[in-house]
Amino acid sequence: MSQETKANYGGQAVIEGVMFAGRHVNVTAVRRKNNEITFYEVPRQDKPWMNKLKKIPFIRGIVGIFDASAKGYQHLNYAAEKYAEDEEGPEANPQDKQESKWNLAMIVGVAVVGVLSLVFSKIIFTAVPAIIEELLLGKAFDNRVVHTLIEGLIKIAFLLGYLWLIAKTPIIKRLFQYHGAEHKVITAYEAGVDLTVKNVQKFNTLHYRCGSSFIILSVIIGVVIYSFIPYDNLWERVYPRLLLIPVVIGISYEFLRLTNALRDVPVLRWLGYPGLWLQLLTTKQPEDDQVEVSIASFNRMRELDKELVSNKEAS
């Protein structure tokens, strides 16, 4: 299987299910309360202008991330609706229904945050650490590079603390388990083994192309870029960082592609290690039934991709 073929498949964990994005269709598989696996299938219909933007280096990262987040929200919303339907069955008592509403609100909240975080969390995680470092150590010494490095460490501490905290909640832990299942399936497919639960479980939950890797890379690359920006006060320190967020995102995406391309080069594979380390927080070891859902989603996506290609060739 070629490297290009590998790069065309991506996954995303949703509550009690997994979404896989193929060349022509996105598929979410969800485990229902009756143990049935249902699918949400959406053909990919990218507009021509978007496809052109996705081919431009440094621009394609920004476009691709926003596009993936918007589509991911649709699939997460489907999984949340099915979850609510199962929890609010005809035999559910009022207390269970109230608990289901709270759980659904949390799921939808996670979905919304997943989309909006590209804007608001980047603003918060960019501005707040700079403000804190400036207030605490701004007048302690004059080395701008060291100030920026400390700012980056504060940002990483915020990120790790946030992920550690939300991972303690049962529903997010389940989400991270499905995230791990999705990675295992992709890795098993790339290794060329049969996609059975037993085979897939042998693989690691970490993967070089994960969005978690992008998050930590954007922090590190931001530290490098911001080190070259001069400033004399807090405002001059913060606003250029906010303006440079698209630049940081674009460069980080290209660097992520580079680390993936070099992952088989022994000396250079360490470039992707920071992202893999972060995945120790964002992925958890999945259960067999979760792996089964992930396999079902991936196989259905590939099946529909082949059907769509065949139909296009026949028409």
Side-chain angles (χ1 to χ4, degrees):
M1 182 174 54
S2 68
Q3 185 69 29
E4 182 180 1
T5 302
K6 293 180 184 180
N8 281 327
Y9 293 121
Q12 182 173 338
V14 296
I15 300 298
E16 297 303 328
V18 174
M19 181 194 83
F20 278 101
R23 298 181 186 87
H24 307 288
V25 65
N26 297 334
V27 175
T28 292
V30 173
R31 172 84 67 181
R32 303 298 299 273
K33 199 169 185 178
N34 62 4
N35 212 35
E36 177 188 2
I37 297 176
T38 61
F39 298 97
Y40 177 55
E41 303 158 359
V42 181
R44 299 184 65 169
Q45 298 176 333
D46 295 336
K47 299 186 182 302
W49 62 268
M50 182 174 290
N51 288 329
K52 291 180 180 179
L53 289 178
K54 287 182 178 180
K55 296 179 181 179
I56 303 175
F58 303 105
I59 299 295
R60 59 190 174 192
I62 301 171
V63 175
I65 289 170
F66 274 95
D67 183 49
S69 296
K71 290 176 179 176
Y73 170 76
Q74 294 177 346
H75 289 258
L76 185 52
N77 188 56
Y78 166 79
E81 289 177 354
K82 298 306 176 186
Y83 175 87
E85 287 177 10
D86 287 341
E87 292 299 309
E88 296 183 1
E91 299 180 358
N93 58 51
Q95 183 177 353
D96 290 338
K97 289 185 176 182
Q98 184 63 33
E99 182 179 350
S100 173
K101 290 179 180 179
W102 280 107
N103 287 335
L104 179 60
M106 184 174 183
I107 294 170
V108 174
V110 171
V112 173
V113 168
V115 178
L116 297 182
S117 64
L118 288 173
V119 179
F120 294 108
S121 75
K122 285 302 295 182
I123 292 175
I124 294 172
F125 274 84
T126 297
V128 173
I131 293 172
I132 291 176
E133 201 283 335
E134 180 70 20
L135 294 176
L136 294 178
L137 300 172
K139 298 181 180 179
F141 50 88
D142 296 328
N143 192 315
R144 188 175 66 247
V145 175
V146 176
H147 279 296
T148 306
L149 180 60
I150 296 174
E151 173 190 333
L153 293 175
I154 294 173
K155 189 179 300 184
I156 291 174
F158 277 8
L159 176 63
L160 296 180
Y162 169 73
L163 291 174
W164 178 83
L165 186 63
I166 65 171
K168 294 296 182 181
T169 62
I171 199 166
I172 301 301
K173 181 181 178 180
R174 292 284 294 177
L175 178 67
F176 287 174
Q177 284 179 302
Y178 273 107
H179 192 188
E182 167 244 315
H183 283 182
K184 281 174 174 276
V185 169
I186 292 178
T187 306
Y189 174 74
E190 292 176 345
V193 304
D194 292 335
L195 296 183
T196 65
V197 173
K198 184 177 180 180
N199 286 343
V200 170
Q201 283 285 33
K202 296 176 183 178
F203 290 88
N204 204 300
T205 61
L206 311 182
H207 197 281
Y208 268 77
R209 290 200 306 275
C210 177
S212 302
S213 299
F214 172 81
I215 294 173
I216 197 68
L217 279 175
S218 67
V219 174
I220 296 172
I221 289 173
V223 168
V224 175
I225 294 176
Y226 302 151
S227 297
F228 293 95
I229 308 300
Y231 60 86
D232 293 321
N233 53 57
L234 180 59
W235 171 244
E236 290 182 1
R237 180 175 182 173
V238 172
Y239 88 83
R241 284 158 168 71
L242 299 179
L243 294 178
L244 287 170
I245 286 177
V247 177
V248 173
I249 291 176
I251 295 176
S252 300
Y253 181 82
E254 299 302 322
F255 196 80
L256 181 62
R257 288 170 59 94
L258 176 65
T259 60
N260 180 59
L262 299 176
R263 63 178 176 170
D264 294 325
V265 181
V267 180
L268 298 177
R269 61 182 295 114
W270 60 269
L271 291 171
Y273 282 8
L276 295 177
W277 294 334
L278 184 62
Q279 290 175 44
L280 295 174
L281 285 176
T282 62
T283 64
K284 301 295 181 184
Q285 181 64 29
E287 300 170 1
D288 286 351
D289 64 325
Q290 294 172 312
V291 172
E292 184 182 7
V293 172
S294 189
I295 293 172
S297 178
F298 187 79
N299 284 340
R300 183 59 178 160
M301 176 270 295
R302 293 186 63 218
E303 177 186 346
L304 291 176
D305 256 0
K306 291 179 181 178
E307 288 181 4
L308 289 171
V309 170
S310 298
N311 293 338
K312 287 182 179 180
E313 292 176 349
S315 61

